[in-house]
Amino acid sequence: MKPLVLICSEDAEFYLNFSHVLEVDGFASDLAASVEEAVRQVNEREPQAVVLDCQPANAVGPTICARIKSELRTSALPVVALIAPGAEYQHLDLLKAGVDECFVRPIAPAKLLAYLRAKLAMARCFDGGENGRLLIWGDLEMRLASHQIRCCNGQRIHLSSIEFNLLRYLIENRGKVCSRDELIDAAWPDNIHVDARTVDVHISRIRKALSSLSAHNGIQTVRSAGYTLEEEET
């Protein structure tokens, strides 16, 4: 299935032109012309990225971005804005709303496509047939049903069930700072008390396992806040 990009624009010609560019590059696209339509499609169609066509006299772009980023289930969705030259006020509004990237017009389509490809390649989940769903991040492949992790060279990474769930949550929320409380909720049963130090110990074990077999070891500590998984490959 082609990765879906939601284009938020009131300009039908812009959508037709850009949707053609996306299709040629292997993407599918949908159009949303209002805030409510954009939010509805994000929840119903579950696109892999959102592109905001921000016109100088229109504040819809920052509003859409803020709505997407305010919801936990969509907060990690990449949102890209195209803004007019000199629209600094709009850029600031978008940054406050949590936008992932802003490009100033005119922009070469190849530049935006390269950004989308890099962003979506960081973590993608798809149907692995008999082996169940797969979660891919960089050179790591997580088989969600069997709790197996492999590198691109075929070597396996052995993690406990708790550590598997922690790494899965970090990958699914890459680029977002995940608090220790969030990680506890994601990895441990509800009836077990876990303190922050226990989370730190398991994260340390994950880092050690990743560094021993994979070039990917992008778990960063955010002081007094939690952990985040790097968006970009290092």
Side-chain angles (χ1 to χ4, degrees):
M1 182 179 295
K2 294 181 179 180
L4 177 64
V5 176
L6 181 64
I7 301 175
C8 302
S9 176
E10 296 179 346
D11 186 341
E13 184 175 352
F14 170 86
Y15 170 70
L16 290 173
N17 290 336
F18 193 67
S19 63
H20 174 71
V21 172
L22 286 169
E23 183 179 357
V24 171
D25 205 62
F27 293 90
S29 64
D30 268 338
L31 173 65
S34 68
V35 174
E36 295 305 322
E37 186 178 0
V39 173
R40 178 180 58 80
Q41 291 213 50
V42 164
N43 286 291
E44 293 180 357
R45 297 297 309 278
E46 298 185 348
Q48 280 70 58
V50 175
V51 174
L52 304 174
D53 174 25
C54 296
Q55 299 299 327
N58 195 323
V60 169
T63 303
I64 293 173
C65 184
R67 291 280 296 274
I68 292 171
K69 295 297 184 179
S70 66
E71 298 292 333
L72 181 60
R73 67 182 298 272
T74 59
S75 61
L77 180 65
V79 178
V80 186
L82 306 181
I83 63 176
E88 289 85 359
Y89 67 94
Q90 200 171 53
H91 189 193
L92 290 174
D93 289 342
L94 286 161
L95 289 175
K96 291 177 182 177
V99 73
D100 293 276
E101 186 62 84
C102 288
F103 292 105
V104 178
R105 289 188 172 92
I107 177 176
K111 184 176 181 179
L112 182 55
L113 290 170
Y115 175 84
L116 290 173
R117 285 195 299 268
K119 198 75 173 177
L120 301 187
M122 291 303 297
R124 59 193 188 277
C125 192
F126 57 92
D127 187 354
E130 294 180 357
N131 295 317
R133 296 173 67 228
L134 306 179
L135 184 64
I136 307 296
W137 185 68
D139 58 356
L140 296 180
E141 175 186 284
M142 301 185 77
R143 297 184 178 272
L144 303 186
S146 61
H147 277 214
Q148 293 182 357
I149 305 175
R150 294 182 184 274
C151 298
C152 60
N153 60 10
Q155 290 182 289
R156 288 186 60 180
I157 294 178
H158 298 279
L159 297 178
S160 70
S161 178
I162 293 295
E163 291 155 8
F164 183 96
N165 290 335
L166 286 171
L167 181 58
R168 174 181 176 176
Y169 189 81
L170 287 169
I171 291 176
E172 290 178 337
N173 294 275
R174 66 202 183 282
K176 172 182 178 292
V177 178
C178 301
S179 70
R180 289 172 175 82
D181 286 341
E182 287 180 74
L183 293 169
I184 290 170
D185 289 341
W188 277 271
D190 294 337
N191 60 343
I192 296 180
H193 174 73
V194 180
D195 60 27
R197 176 56 183 161
T198 302
V199 177
D200 298 338
V201 170
H202 283 283
I203 291 293
S204 177
R205 291 174 180 170
I206 295 171
R207 282 172 167 160
K208 183 177 181 180
L210 293 180
S211 63
S212 66
L213 291 178
S214 170
H216 260 57
N217 185 21
I219 301 177
Q220 301 296 316
T221 302
V222 181
R223 188 174 182 180
S224 301
Y227 296 95
T228 185
L229 196 67
E230 292 179 348
E231 293 241 38
E232 302 297 332
E233 295 185 62
T234 58

